[in-house]
Amino acid sequence: MATLFIGQTKVFLPETDSTNSYAIELLKNVNAIEGIVVHTNKQTQGKGQRGNGWIAEPEQNATLSIILRPDFLSSKKAFYLSKITALALHDVLTEILNDSQFDIKIKWPNDILVNHKKIAGVLIENSILNDSLQWCVVGIGLNINQEDFGALKQATSIRLLNKKTCNVERVIDTLFMHFEKWYLRLKRSEFAVIDETYLTHLFGTNALNTFEKDGKQFRATVKGVNETGLLLLETESKEIRTFDVKDVTFIYPASA
Ligand code: BTN
């Protein structure tokens, strides 16, 4: 595999509750090195953003966690880990879907949408020591061959989009390659290229979308994110407002 360290050591579990939880246990109990990936075929209690769960059909998808030790990054810049993960996922999907009919976007902070439907989610958990990141677990769920999402009408997978069954291992190896490329850019402090590329792929920058805060809906256009990862929105009255991920909900756009 064409990586230096991401995924060079894999902990494969036929079944586990959550790869993120397993990776955190590894960090606490063993001196787990950077690049180790915990990967499972069957995740029984997958964790999602905002305390939600993550459900993925066994053996059809990527459910994995990457262990990092980004001690070069100050805690103020932790959002860059979200950015590079979203960029890596964007690159994998661009490479695999390879067709202009697919509109691949990053929905802040790090969901990936294809043609307005969610194909991947990311849950990052980390530990901060003396203002720098001691360890970080990047949990990734990427829908690959799953075709039925039940009541989740806004979900999709690679197979639903390109009508082809994908080799899950191959997709995961491609993801490791792109992840490592972006992680090394971050390590080299190439913030400008990360910021620009993230903004280019950010969903909602060209049109008004619906958001919800404190039970109230409002329309706004995405202007970008600030240094700490807060979302910048321009409201209909042209006011620029900043939001934390726990305060604002992006109301999913209707399917294209
Ligand atoms: C989201 O809500 O969009 C984030 C979903 C993250 C799911 C992945 S699957 C692998 C890893 N282990 C977990 O328990 N969650 C993440």
Side-chain angles (χ1 to χ4, degrees):
M1 195 180 53
T3 59
L4 296 171
F5 55 100
I6 300 292
Q8 282 299 332
T9 304
K10 271 194 219 157
V11 178
F12 174 72
L13 307 163
E15 178 174 338
T16 192
D17 54 352
S18 154
T19 55
N20 267 34
S21 303
Y22 193 95
I24 292 169
E25 282 308 304
L26 269 187
L27 280 155
K28 286 183 181 158
N29 300 322
V30 190
N31 195 17
I33 57 162
E34 176 156 273
I36 293 181
V37 169
V38 179
H39 169 210
T40 190
N41 268 347
K42 188 174 176 193
Q43 187 168 248
T44 53
Q45 285 177 63
K47 298 188 284 184
Q49 297 268 359
R50 304 160 183 262
N52 291 324
W54 181 259
I55 300 169
E57 246 173 44
E59 295 180 26
Q60 304 299 316
N61 304 295
T63 41
L64 57 90
S65 302
I66 304 172
I67 290 178
L68 299 174
R69 291 191 172 276
D71 48 9
F72 58 90
L73 203 62
S74 85
S75 59
K76 288 188 201 73
K77 288 193 155 50
F79 190 72
Y80 275 96
L81 294 163
S82 281
K83 282 189 171 176
I84 60 147
T85 308
L87 289 170
L89 282 162
H90 191 282
D91 282 356
V92 176
L93 290 164
T94 305
E95 185 174 327
I96 293 173
L97 293 171
N98 188 21
D99 189 322
S100 59
Q101 66 166 303
F102 300 120
D103 181 27
I104 309 168
K105 287 283 176 200
I106 298 169
K107 183 169 88 63
W108 175 82
N110 46 22
D111 284 355
I112 309 295
L113 307 182
V114 182
N115 296 354
H116 292 194
K117 291 193 171 190
K118 180 161 168 173
I119 195 164
V122 176
L123 178 68
I124 297 181
E125 299 184 77
N126 52 39
S127 158
I128 292 165
L129 186 72
N130 301 332
D131 205 34
S132 67
L133 287 150
Q134 192 192 11
W135 55 255
C136 170
V137 169
V138 178
I140 298 175
L142 171 62
N143 301 332
I144 301 178
N145 290 320
Q146 184 165 336
E147 290 190 292
D148 185 359
F149 290 92
L152 285 177
K153 296 285 171 251
Q154 296 297 344
T156 194
S157 67
I158 295 175
R159 181 166 169 185
L160 279 175
L161 291 161
N162 69 3
K163 317 282 180 250
K164 289 184 202 149
T165 305
C166 269
N167 180 318
V168 173
E169 288 306 316
R170 200 179 64 84
V171 177
I172 290 175
D173 284 349
T174 310
L175 172 63
F176 291 164
M177 221 181 63
H178 288 296
F179 186 90
E180 186 170 280
K181 173 188 72 189
W182 282 106
Y183 186 65
L184 289 174
R185 284 180 183 156
L186 180 58
K187 215 166 186 170
R188 292 194 298 263
S189 302
E190 294 178 16
F191 301 116
V193 68
I194 296 171
D195 290 340
E196 279 157 28
T197 321
Y198 181 86
L199 189 60
T200 307
H201 300 316
L202 198 57
F203 180 83
T205 52
N206 294 324
L208 284 165
N209 276 278
T210 308
F211 296 84
E212 190 174 298
K213 181 177 161 60
D214 301 331
K216 282 195 198 119
Q217 292 201 349
F218 62 97
R219 309 257 298 152
T221 308
V222 174
K223 286 288 153 194
V225 293
N226 73 9
E227 250 232 321
T228 54
L230 298 181
L231 182 66
L232 304 175
L233 292 181
E234 184 181 81
T235 62
E236 282 177 295
S237 58
K238 303 285 170 212
E239 183 195 353
I240 301 280
R241 294 173 64 188
T242 44
F243 294 91
D244 198 330
V245 72
K246 59 183 185 307
D247 297 332
V248 70
T249 311
F250 210 131
I251 303 299
Y252 259 87
S255 306

